[in-house]
Amino acid sequence: MSVCLDRVLLDVEEPFVFSPYHKALRKPFDYYMFGQNYIRPLIDFGNSYVGNISIFYDIQEKLQQGHNVVFISNHQTEADPAVIALLLEMTHPYIVENMTYIAGDRVVTDPLCKPFSMGRNLICVYSKKHMLDVPELVDMKRRANTRSLKEMAVLLRSGSQLVWIAPSGGRDRPDPKTGEWHPAPFDTSSVDNMRRLVEHSGVPGHIYPLALLCHDIMPPPLQVEKEIGERRVIAFHGVGLSIEPEFNFNDITASCENSEQAKETYSQALYKSVNDQYDVLKSAIHGKQGIEASTPSISLSQPWN
């Protein structure tokens, strides 16, 4: 906490401004390891699981061959990048240290978030959920998003890029009636924009559905808030990460009658996979089934053991 407060105060005195494409700051202060070390004590590794770890080996091979890879994921907490990295750091340090996250503006403007964000590779965008918060800033936000998309296109053309995006546009929230957590619905246009960027990069690209369960360690506010400076609550709990094989657009949409139907079908197929994986992780962690929650398509393991 003392290191965290030092970094927050340093940024208040000399505010760091994120560029549309931000590279993780590792020297002279290693912001990446700072984030890892801060979140690590919150994770109950004995009750945490990774689904289909073997697929990450295939992904690493594709990246080393110059291919691009995109994770289409749900989003649960501000700590998601660290959770992913902590669950894979023993087996896939190359993947977690080279991943680029599509990040909303709040994580690069909130004083408490900024030091953690500085340790990740980011493409900075304004979320649709907050686009209209301040009407006079809408045009500026749209122009900024256009610049970020151009940065993304340049990045993908260089190859060997791994990109994480949450097309829901924000964090999952519990159902107000039942209190149950589920991945928030995907925005079809966000999924399709990412797919087209990958396809037009001139480099082989692959899109995978990724599921995260980690809301217990740092749950978001129950409602989307406009103001910066939300209250943080942290806890020690098991977390989960799962992936399924890549989703090929042409295979999934072969029977669709038009492009709009194809876009929706593809987005919904990815969303269903994320939900199915999430349910397995939920059975393993909250249902206390552990490895026994594995299914024929989702094999759970604890690769740090």
Side-chain angles (χ1 to χ4, degrees):
M1 283 303 301
S2 65
V3 176
C4 179
L5 291 173
D6 281 345
R7 291 294 132 181
V8 170
L9 290 172
L10 179 63
D11 188 71
V12 169
E13 293 172 354
E14 298 179 29
F16 181 82
V17 178
F18 288 83
S19 57
Y21 172 47
H22 168 76
K23 285 284 288 179
L25 298 178
R26 305 295 303 264
K27 295 178 181 179
F29 180 83
D30 193 336
Y31 282 91
Y32 172 83
M33 286 309 302
F34 156 70
Q36 296 296 95
N37 292 334
Y38 188 91
I39 301 301
R40 192 186 309 274
L42 302 181
I43 296 180
D44 176 4
F45 284 95
N47 191 34
S48 297
Y49 302 92
V50 175
N52 297 334
I53 189 72
S54 62
I55 294 176
F56 289 104
Y57 289 97
D58 295 336
I59 288 168
Q60 185 157 306
E61 192 172 309
K62 286 182 170 65
L63 292 170
Q64 290 168 346
Q65 291 169 353
H67 296 199
N68 292 322
V69 171
V70 172
F71 292 154
I72 301 290
S73 174
N74 67 314
H75 177 25
Q76 295 226 301
T77 75
E78 292 171 326
D80 284 2
V83 170
I84 296 170
L86 287 164
L87 293 183
L88 295 177
E89 68 177 355
M90 297 291 291
T91 53
H92 296 88
Y94 176 84
I95 283 180
V96 296
E97 292 188 35
N98 289 281
M99 198 181 307
T100 298
Y101 297 85
I102 309 295
D105 57 295
R106 297 173 79 79
V107 302
V108 297
T109 54
D110 188 305
L112 192 56
C113 272
K114 287 178 71 177
F116 297 94
S117 300
M118 289 160 70
R120 307 289 163 178
N121 303 315
L122 306 176
I123 292 285
C124 303
V125 299
Y126 287 92
S127 167
K128 286 185 178 180
K129 288 186 178 180
H130 295 287
M131 186 63 72
L132 304 177
D133 285 358
V134 184
E136 56 267 31
L137 296 180
V138 171
D139 286 342
M140 178 278 290
K141 291 180 178 181
R142 285 176 176 156
R143 287 195 300 272
N145 280 358
T146 299
R147 288 196 300 273
S148 295
L149 276 175
K150 290 179 179 177
E151 290 282 355
M152 172 66 73
V154 170
L155 198 63
L156 291 171
R157 283 199 292 271
S158 67
S160 296
Q161 301 300 317
L162 174 57
V163 178
W164 178 95
I165 181 171
S168 61
R171 288 168 287 178
D172 304 334
R173 257 67 176 199
D175 184 300
K177 294 180 181 177
T178 66
E180 290 292 314
W181 290 76
H182 299 283
F186 289 172
D187 177 73
T188 298
S189 64
S190 294
V191 172
D192 194 60
N193 285 340
M194 194 71 241
R195 178 187 66 82
R196 287 188 291 112
L197 279 169
V198 171
E199 287 186 356
H200 296 160
S201 68
V203 174
H206 312 271
I207 294 177
Y208 295 80
L210 187 84
L212 270 169
L213 190 159
C214 58
H215 60 82
D216 298 280
I217 68 167
M218 194 181 289
L222 295 180
Q223 288 84 33
V224 176
E225 297 183 354
K226 288 186 178 182
E227 299 299 321
I228 293 293
E230 66 186 60
R231 180 172 179 260
R232 268 69 175 200
V233 178
I234 59 175
F236 177 70
H237 206 278
V239 299
L241 171 71
S242 181
I243 192 167
E244 284 200 318
E246 69 175 291
F247 272 42
N248 182 280
F249 180 77
N250 292 329
D251 291 346
I252 290 170
T253 62
S255 61
C256 293
E257 297 177 358
N258 55 60
S259 62
E260 291 306 310
Q261 184 186 9
K263 293 174 188 177
E264 183 66 24
T265 297
Y266 187 64
S267 179
Q268 286 302 313
L270 286 162
Y271 180 61
K272 181 180 184 303
S273 172
V274 170
N275 270 280
D276 290 346
Q277 294 179 78
Y278 187 87
D279 286 343
V280 171
L281 294 172
K282 192 173 177 179
S283 295
I285 298 166
H286 292 159
K288 305 296 183 184
Q289 294 181 30
I291 299 293
E292 298 302 315
S294 297
T295 68
S297 61
I298 303 165
S299 175
L300 298 178
S301 63
Q302 295 180 312
W304 45 87
N305 285 338

